[in-house]
Amino acid sequence: MAAISTGTTCLYGVAGTVTNLYVQSYSLSSSFNSDVTVVDETGITKTHRLDDRKSEITIEGIAKTATMPVLGASLSFTVNTASAYPGGTASASFSGTITKIDDKGSNKGFTAVTITAIDYEGITL
């Protein structure tokens, strides 16, 4: 079915995919792993240093089969904006290691799976 859009063009939907999962949403958070400051004798911050960018993604979806990616496996995912930092540069491509998998079943719904992965700029997969 074709969508009819009027007004300003905006990003819509989810670009990335995960094997055996109908991706419903994702959330990506990027920050610095090292955040240190130096204060003077009166407690006023004089230096602020930020190093080691990291990105953490959480992907939520509906399971197609019982087979899911496993803990410690590599995960690549395309996000809608250049907000991931593989290798320390802003990108729409996330590539990290799976650190957590949640499975939620219900007697009145489909099985939902949440996958969390993390990427550090100094670690390439």
Side-chain angles (χ1 to χ4, degrees), residues 39-92:
V39 297
D40 66 12
E41 297 80 2
T42 63
I44 303 298
T45 300
K46 296 297 185 175
T47 301
H48 186 200
R49 182 176 173 139
L50 302 165
D51 291 299
D52 191 16
R53 291 170 186 88
K54 69 175 181 177
S55 296
E56 185 172 20
I57 194 165
T58 301
I59 302 167
E60 298 175 339
I62 303 299
K64 294 179 187 179
T65 69
T67 304
M68 288 292 114
V70 296
L71 290 174
S74 296
L75 175 78
S76 294
F77 192 82
T78 301
V79 296
N80 290 347
T81 64
S83 55
Y85 284 85
T89 304
S91 172

Short mmCIF file of all heavy atoms in Angstrom, two decimals, residues 39-92:
data_model
loop_
_atom_site.label_atom_id
_atom_site.label_comp_id
_atom_site.label_asym_id
_atom_site.label_seq_id
_atom_site.Cartn_x
_atom_site.Cartn_y
_atom_site.Cartn_z
N VAL A 39 39.61 19.61 38.42
CA VAL A 39 39.12 20.81 39.10
C VAL A 39 40.28 21.51 39.78
O VAL A 39 41.28 20.89 40.15
CB VAL A 39 38.00 20.48 40.12
CG1 VAL A 39 36.80 19.88 39.42
CG2 VAL A 39 38.51 19.55 41.21
N ASP A 40 40.13 22.84 39.95
CA ASP A 40 41.18 23.60 40.66
C ASP A 40 40.94 23.51 42.17
O ASP A 40 40.07 22.78 42.64
CB ASP A 40 41.25 25.04 40.15
CG ASP A 40 40.01 25.86 40.48
OD1 ASP A 40 39.16 25.41 41.29
OD2 ASP A 40 39.88 26.97 39.92
N GLU A 41 41.70 24.25 42.92
CA GLU A 41 41.65 24.22 44.38
C GLU A 41 40.30 24.63 44.95
O GLU A 41 39.93 24.27 46.07
CB GLU A 41 42.74 25.14 44.97
CG GLU A 41 44.15 24.73 44.63
CD GLU A 41 44.60 25.17 43.23
OE1 GLU A 41 43.82 25.83 42.50
OE2 GLU A 41 45.73 24.83 42.86
N THR A 42 39.51 25.38 44.17
CA THR A 42 38.20 25.83 44.65
C THR A 42 37.05 24.96 44.15
O THR A 42 35.89 25.25 44.38
CB THR A 42 37.95 27.30 44.22
OG1 THR A 42 37.91 27.37 42.79
CG2 THR A 42 39.02 28.22 44.77
N GLY A 43 37.40 23.88 43.42
CA GLY A 43 36.37 22.96 42.94
C GLY A 43 35.77 23.32 41.59
O GLY A 43 34.79 22.72 41.16
N ILE A 44 36.36 24.28 40.89
CA ILE A 44 35.87 24.69 39.58
C ILE A 44 36.52 23.83 38.50
O ILE A 44 37.74 23.67 38.48
CB ILE A 44 36.18 26.19 39.31
CG1 ILE A 44 35.57 27.07 40.40
CG2 ILE A 44 35.72 26.63 37.93
CD1 ILE A 44 34.06 26.99 40.49
N THR A 45 35.71 23.29 37.60
CA THR A 45 36.23 22.45 36.52
C THR A 45 37.06 23.28 35.56
O THR A 45 36.62 24.30 35.06
CB THR A 45 35.07 21.77 35.77
OG1 THR A 45 34.34 20.97 36.69
CG2 THR A 45 35.58 20.90 34.64
N LYS A 46 38.28 22.81 35.29
CA LYS A 46 39.20 23.50 34.40
C LYS A 46 39.50 22.69 33.14
O LYS A 46 39.90 23.24 32.14
CB LYS A 46 40.52 23.81 35.12
CG LYS A 46 40.36 24.77 36.27
CD LYS A 46 39.87 26.11 35.77
CE LYS A 46 39.82 27.14 36.89
NZ LYS A 46 39.46 28.46 36.39
N THR A 47 39.33 21.37 33.24
CA THR A 47 39.59 20.49 32.09
C THR A 47 38.52 19.41 32.03
O THR A 47 38.13 18.86 33.06
CB THR A 47 40.98 19.82 32.20
OG1 THR A 47 41.98 20.84 32.26
CG2 THR A 47 41.26 18.90 31.03
N HIS A 48 38.08 19.13 30.83
CA HIS A 48 37.11 18.05 30.61
C HIS A 48 37.60 17.24 29.42
O HIS A 48 37.75 17.78 28.32
CB HIS A 48 35.73 18.64 30.33
CG HIS A 48 34.65 17.61 30.23
ND1 HIS A 48 33.47 17.85 29.61
CD2 HIS A 48 34.56 16.34 30.69
CE1 HIS A 48 32.69 16.80 29.67
NE2 HIS A 48 33.34 15.86 30.33
N ARG A 49 37.88 15.96 29.62
CA ARG A 49 38.39 15.11 28.55
C ARG A 49 37.41 13.96 28.31
O ARG A 49 36.98 13.30 29.25
CB ARG A 49 39.77 14.56 28.91
CG ARG A 49 40.33 13.71 27.79
CD ARG A 49 41.72 13.25 28.07
NE ARG A 49 42.12 12.30 27.04
CZ ARG A 49 43.30 12.26 26.49
NH1 ARG A 49 44.23 13.13 26.85
NH2 ARG A 49 43.59 11.36 25.58
N LEU A 50 37.09 13.74 27.04
CA LEU A 50 36.19 12.67 26.63
C LEU A 50 36.93 11.77 25.65
O LEU A 50 37.48 12.24 24.66
CB LEU A 50 34.95 13.25 25.95
CG LEU A 50 34.14 14.24 26.80
CD1 LEU A 50 33.17 15.01 25.93
CD2 LEU A 50 33.42 13.50 27.90
N ASP A 51 36.95 10.47 25.92
CA ASP A 51 37.63 9.50 25.05
C ASP A 51 36.77 8.25 24.89
O ASP A 51 35.88 7.97 25.69
CB ASP A 51 38.97 9.06 25.68
CG ASP A 51 40.00 10.15 25.70
OD1 ASP A 51 40.36 10.63 24.61
OD2 ASP A 51 40.43 10.54 26.80
N ASP A 52 37.10 7.47 23.87
CA ASP A 52 36.55 6.13 23.66
C ASP A 52 35.03 6.14 23.46
O ASP A 52 34.27 5.79 24.35
CB ASP A 52 36.94 5.22 24.82
CG ASP A 52 36.62 3.76 24.54
OD1 ASP A 52 36.40 3.40 23.37
OD2 ASP A 52 36.59 2.96 25.51
N ARG A 53 34.62 6.55 22.26
CA ARG A 53 33.18 6.55 21.95
C ARG A 53 32.65 5.12 21.99
O ARG A 53 33.32 4.18 21.59
CB ARG A 53 32.95 7.15 20.57
CG ARG A 53 33.21 8.62 20.50
CD ARG A 53 33.19 9.08 19.03
NE ARG A 53 33.57 10.46 18.92
CZ ARG A 53 34.82 10.89 18.80
NH1 ARG A 53 35.82 10.04 18.81
NH2 ARG A 53 35.07 12.17 18.69
N LYS A 54 31.42 4.99 22.46
CA LYS A 54 30.76 3.69 22.45
C LYS A 54 29.30 3.90 22.03
O LYS A 54 28.73 4.97 22.24
CB LYS A 54 30.82 2.99 23.81
CG LYS A 54 29.99 3.65 24.89
CD LYS A 54 30.02 2.84 26.17
CE LYS A 54 29.16 3.51 27.23
NZ LYS A 54 29.12 2.74 28.45
N SER A 55 28.75 2.88 21.43
CA SER A 55 27.34 2.90 21.04
C SER A 55 26.69 1.63 21.56
O SER A 55 27.26 0.55 21.48
CB SER A 55 27.19 2.95 19.51
OG SER A 55 27.73 4.14 19.00
N GLU A 56 25.49 1.79 22.11
CA GLU A 56 24.73 0.64 22.61
C GLU A 56 23.36 0.67 21.94
O GLU A 56 22.70 1.70 21.91
CB GLU A 56 24.58 0.69 24.12
CG GLU A 56 23.91 -0.55 24.69
CD GLU A 56 23.94 -0.59 26.21
OE1 GLU A 56 24.12 0.47 26.84
OE2 GLU A 56 23.77 -1.68 26.77
N ILE A 57 22.96 -0.48 21.40
CA ILE A 57 21.68 -0.56 20.70
C ILE A 57 20.80 -1.60 21.36
O ILE A 57 21.28 -2.62 21.86
CB ILE A 57 21.89 -0.90 19.20
CG1 ILE A 57 20.61 -0.65 18.41
CG2 ILE A 57 22.39 -2.32 19.02
CD1 ILE A 57 20.81 -0.62 16.92
N THR A 58 19.51 -1.31 21.42
CA THR A 58 18.50 -2.26 21.88
C THR A 58 17.48 -2.39 20.77
O THR A 58 16.92 -1.40 20.30
CB THR A 58 17.82 -1.76 23.17
OG1 THR A 58 18.82 -1.60 24.18
CG2 THR A 58 16.77 -2.74 23.66
N ILE A 59 17.27 -3.63 20.32
CA ILE A 59 16.36 -3.91 19.21
C ILE A 59 15.22 -4.77 19.74
O ILE A 59 15.46 -5.79 20.38
CB ILE A 59 17.10 -4.65 18.08
CG1 ILE A 59 18.28 -3.81 17.59
CG2 ILE A 59 16.15 -4.98 16.94
CD1 ILE A 59 19.25 -4.56 16.72
N GLU A 60 13.99 -4.35 19.47
CA GLU A 60 12.82 -5.10 19.91
C GLU A 60 12.10 -5.66 18.69
O GLU A 60 11.96 -4.97 17.67
CB GLU A 60 11.88 -4.19 20.69
CG GLU A 60 12.52 -3.64 21.95
CD GLU A 60 11.63 -2.64 22.67
OE1 GLU A 60 10.73 -2.07 22.03
OE2 GLU A 60 11.86 -2.43 23.86
N GLY A 61 11.65 -6.92 18.81
CA GLY A 61 10.96 -7.52 17.68
C GLY A 61 10.11 -8.70 18.07
O GLY A 61 10.07 -9.10 19.24
N ILE A 62 9.44 -9.25 17.07
CA ILE A 62 8.61 -10.44 17.24
C ILE A 62 9.35 -11.62 16.62
O ILE A 62 9.82 -11.53 15.47
CB ILE A 62 7.23 -10.26 16.56
CG1 ILE A 62 6.51 -9.02 17.11
CG2 ILE A 62 6.38 -11.52 16.69
CD1 ILE A 62 6.22 -9.06 18.59
N ALA A 63 9.48 -12.71 17.37
CA ALA A 63 10.24 -13.87 16.92
C ALA A 63 9.53 -14.57 15.76
O ALA A 63 8.33 -14.84 15.84
CB ALA A 63 10.44 -14.85 18.07
N LYS A 64 10.28 -14.87 14.69
CA LYS A 64 9.76 -15.65 13.56
C LYS A 64 9.90 -17.14 13.86
O LYS A 64 9.06 -17.94 13.47
CB LYS A 64 10.54 -15.34 12.28
CG LYS A 64 10.38 -13.94 11.76
CD LYS A 64 11.22 -13.79 10.50
CE LYS A 64 11.25 -12.37 10.00
NZ LYS A 64 12.10 -12.25 8.78
N THR A 65 11.03 -17.51 14.52
CA THR A 65 11.32 -18.90 14.88
C THR A 65 11.93 -18.90 16.28
O THR A 65 12.15 -17.85 16.87
CB THR A 65 12.33 -19.54 13.90
OG1 THR A 65 13.61 -18.94 14.09
CG2 THR A 65 11.89 -19.37 12.45
N ALA A 66 12.24 -20.08 16.78
CA ALA A 66 12.86 -20.19 18.11
C ALA A 66 14.35 -19.87 18.07
O ALA A 66 14.97 -19.66 19.11
CB ALA A 66 12.65 -21.61 18.67
N THR A 67 14.95 -19.81 16.89
CA THR A 67 16.38 -19.55 16.76
C THR A 67 16.66 -18.06 16.76
O THR A 67 16.19 -17.33 15.89
CB THR A 67 16.91 -20.17 15.45
OG1 THR A 67 16.59 -21.56 15.44
CG2 THR A 67 18.41 -20.00 15.35
N MET A 68 17.42 -17.60 17.74
CA MET A 68 17.78 -16.19 17.88
C MET A 68 19.29 -16.05 17.86
O MET A 68 20.01 -17.00 18.12
CB MET A 68 17.26 -15.63 19.22
CG MET A 68 15.76 -15.43 19.29
SD MET A 68 15.22 -14.12 18.19
CE MET A 68 14.24 -15.05 17.02
N PRO A 69 19.81 -14.84 17.59
CA PRO A 69 21.26 -14.63 17.74
C PRO A 69 21.68 -14.95 19.17
O PRO A 69 20.89 -14.82 20.10
CB PRO A 69 21.41 -13.13 17.45
CG PRO A 69 20.21 -12.76 16.64
CD PRO A 69 19.11 -13.64 17.15
N VAL A 70 22.93 -15.37 19.34
CA VAL A 70 23.38 -15.81 20.66
C VAL A 70 24.25 -14.76 21.33
O VAL A 70 24.84 -13.90 20.67
CB VAL A 70 24.16 -17.15 20.56
CG1 VAL A 70 23.25 -18.26 20.06
CG2 VAL A 70 25.37 -17.00 19.66
N LEU A 71 24.34 -14.83 22.65
CA LEU A 71 25.21 -13.94 23.42
C LEU A 71 26.64 -14.04 22.91
O LEU A 71 27.13 -15.13 22.63
CB LEU A 71 25.17 -14.30 24.91
CG LEU A 71 23.88 -13.99 25.64
CD1 LEU A 71 23.95 -14.55 27.07
CD2 LEU A 71 23.59 -12.51 25.67
N GLY A 72 27.29 -12.91 22.78
CA GLY A 72 28.67 -12.87 22.32
C GLY A 72 28.83 -12.83 20.81
O GLY A 72 29.92 -12.61 20.31
N ALA A 73 27.74 -13.02 20.08
CA ALA A 73 27.80 -12.98 18.62
C ALA A 73 27.88 -11.54 18.13
O ALA A 73 27.49 -10.60 18.82
CB ALA A 73 26.58 -13.66 18.01
N SER A 74 28.38 -11.36 16.92
CA SER A 74 28.42 -10.04 16.29
C SER A 74 27.03 -9.69 15.78
O SER A 74 26.28 -10.56 15.34
CB SER A 74 29.40 -10.04 15.12
OG SER A 74 30.70 -10.27 15.57
N LEU A 75 26.72 -8.39 15.83
CA LEU A 75 25.43 -7.90 15.33
C LEU A 75 25.68 -6.65 14.50
O LEU A 75 26.35 -5.71 14.95
CB LEU A 75 24.49 -7.55 16.50
CG LEU A 75 23.17 -6.92 16.09
CD1 LEU A 75 22.22 -8.00 15.57
CD2 LEU A 75 22.54 -6.17 17.24
N SER A 76 25.18 -6.64 13.28
CA SER A 76 25.22 -5.47 12.42
C SER A 76 23.80 -5.01 12.19
O SER A 76 22.90 -5.83 11.98
CB SER A 76 25.89 -5.79 11.09
OG SER A 76 27.25 -6.12 11.29
N PHE A 77 23.59 -3.69 12.24
CA PHE A 77 22.24 -3.15 12.12
C PHE A 77 22.33 -1.75 11.52
O PHE A 77 23.23 -0.98 11.87
CB PHE A 77 21.58 -3.09 13.50
CG PHE A 77 20.11 -2.82 13.47
CD1 PHE A 77 19.20 -3.84 13.24
CD2 PHE A 77 19.61 -1.54 13.68
CE1 PHE A 77 17.84 -3.59 13.23
CE2 PHE A 77 18.27 -1.28 13.67
CZ PHE A 77 17.37 -2.32 13.44
N THR A 78 21.42 -1.43 10.64
CA THR A 78 21.37 -0.10 10.04
C THR A 78 20.35 0.75 10.77
O THR A 78 19.19 0.36 10.89
CB THR A 78 21.00 -0.19 8.55
OG1 THR A 78 21.97 -1.00 7.88
CG2 THR A 78 20.97 1.19 7.90
N VAL A 79 20.79 1.90 11.28
CA VAL A 79 19.89 2.84 11.95
C VAL A 79 19.52 3.95 10.96
O VAL A 79 20.11 4.05 9.88
CB VAL A 79 20.52 3.41 13.24
CG1 VAL A 79 20.76 2.30 14.26
CG2 VAL A 79 21.82 4.14 12.97
N ASN A 80 18.57 4.76 11.30
CA ASN A 80 18.06 5.78 10.37
C ASN A 80 18.92 7.03 10.28
O ASN A 80 18.80 7.78 9.32
CB ASN A 80 16.63 6.17 10.74
CG ASN A 80 15.65 5.05 10.47
OD1 ASN A 80 15.96 4.08 9.80
ND2 ASN A 80 14.45 5.18 11.00
N THR A 81 19.75 7.30 11.28
CA THR A 81 20.57 8.50 11.27
C THR A 81 22.02 8.15 11.58
O THR A 81 22.31 7.07 12.09
CB THR A 81 20.09 9.52 12.33
OG1 THR A 81 20.25 8.95 13.63
CG2 THR A 81 18.64 9.91 12.11
N ALA A 82 22.93 9.04 11.30
CA ALA A 82 24.36 8.82 11.58
C ALA A 82 24.62 9.08 13.06
O ALA A 82 25.24 10.06 13.45
CB ALA A 82 25.21 9.73 10.71
N SER A 83 24.13 8.17 13.92
CA SER A 83 24.25 8.33 15.36
C SER A 83 25.02 7.20 16.04
O SER A 83 25.16 7.18 17.25
CB SER A 83 22.86 8.47 15.99
OG SER A 83 22.05 7.37 15.62
N ALA A 84 25.53 6.25 15.25
CA ALA A 84 26.40 5.19 15.77
C ALA A 84 27.84 5.61 15.52
O ALA A 84 28.11 6.43 14.65
CB ALA A 84 26.10 3.86 15.07
N TYR A 85 28.79 5.05 16.28
CA TYR A 85 30.19 5.46 16.17
C TYR A 85 31.14 4.28 16.00
O TYR A 85 32.07 4.10 16.78
CB TYR A 85 30.59 6.30 17.38
CG TYR A 85 30.04 7.70 17.28
CD1 TYR A 85 28.76 7.97 17.71
CD2 TYR A 85 30.80 8.71 16.72
CE1 TYR A 85 28.23 9.25 17.59
CE2 TYR A 85 30.28 10.00 16.60
CZ TYR A 85 29.00 10.26 17.04
OH TYR A 85 28.49 11.51 16.91
N PRO A 86 30.97 3.47 14.95
CA PRO A 86 31.95 2.40 14.72
C PRO A 86 33.28 3.02 14.30
O PRO A 86 33.31 3.88 13.42
CB PRO A 86 31.33 1.59 13.59
CG PRO A 86 30.47 2.56 12.86
CD PRO A 86 29.95 3.52 13.91
N GLY A 87 34.35 2.68 14.94
CA GLY A 87 35.64 3.26 14.61
C GLY A 87 35.78 4.71 15.01
O GLY A 87 36.72 5.38 14.60
N GLY A 88 34.83 5.26 15.77
CA GLY A 88 34.92 6.62 16.26
C GLY A 88 34.33 7.68 15.36
O GLY A 88 34.38 8.85 15.67
N THR A 89 33.76 7.29 14.21
CA THR A 89 33.17 8.24 13.27
C THR A 89 31.67 8.02 13.18
O THR A 89 31.20 6.88 13.10
CB THR A 89 33.80 8.05 11.88
OG1 THR A 89 35.22 8.17 12.00
CG2 THR A 89 33.30 9.08 10.90
N ALA A 90 30.90 9.11 13.15
CA ALA A 90 29.44 9.01 13.08
C ALA A 90 29.01 8.25 11.82
O ALA A 90 29.52 8.50 10.73
CB ALA A 90 28.82 10.40 13.09
N SER A 91 28.07 7.31 11.98
CA SER A 91 27.63 6.46 10.89
C SER A 91 26.22 5.96 11.14
O SER A 91 25.76 5.93 12.28
CB SER A 91 28.58 5.27 10.76
OG SER A 91 28.10 4.33 9.84
N ALA A 92 25.53 5.53 10.09
CA ALA A 92 24.22 4.90 10.23
C ALA A 92 24.36 3.39 10.36
O ALA A 92 23.36 2.68 10.45
CB ALA A 92 23.33 5.25 9.03
#
